Amino acid sequence: DTGTGIASVIPTGVQTPSGQSLEMWHLPVGATVPVSLGLLPTDPNLRREIEAGPEDVFAISLEPLGGSPNGSPTQALYHGQMVEITGSK
């Protein structure tokens, strides 16, 4: 939401392999190291809101059960950059 700077993350259609976890990461513009946003919930009805700015990068990694063992993503599966969508209302 460009008005609030809040991004909503709703996990859908992603299956976590047994014994592993999906972890979300945030790399704000200008940062050199991603910050863990925690594990993605397995319930697609749960929702998480995070502060985000244009051009911030988000990633989801596959990790050992419980999350990254070293504080960094170990196997990135998905990533994307925030973009502002403008148009007539």
Side-chain angles (χ1 to χ4, degrees):
D1 180 327
T2 56
T4 64
I6 301 281
S8 295
V9 177
I10 305 168
T12 58
V14 177
Q15 297 294 320
T16 306
S18 178
Q20 295 186 294
S21 298
L22 293 173
E23 190 164 353
M24 188 160 184
W25 303 85
H26 180 210
L27 184 65
V29 170
T32 57
V33 177
V35 176
S36 174
L37 296 174
L39 302 179
L40 287 181
T42 55
D43 182 348
N45 296 314
L46 294 177
R47 185 174 156 142
R48 173 131 188 233
E49 294 183 345
I50 45 182
E51 291 187 35
E55 300 183 27
D56 283 5
V57 174
F58 290 90
I60 297 173
S61 63
L62 184 62
E63 303 293 343
L65 191 61
S68 172
N70 61 13
S72 297
T74 56
Q75 184 180 348
L77 298 177
Y78 311 102
H79 73 278
Q81 185 174 28
M82 295 293 293
V83 295
E84 184 174 348
I85 299 172
T86 58
S88 60
K89 295 184 181 193

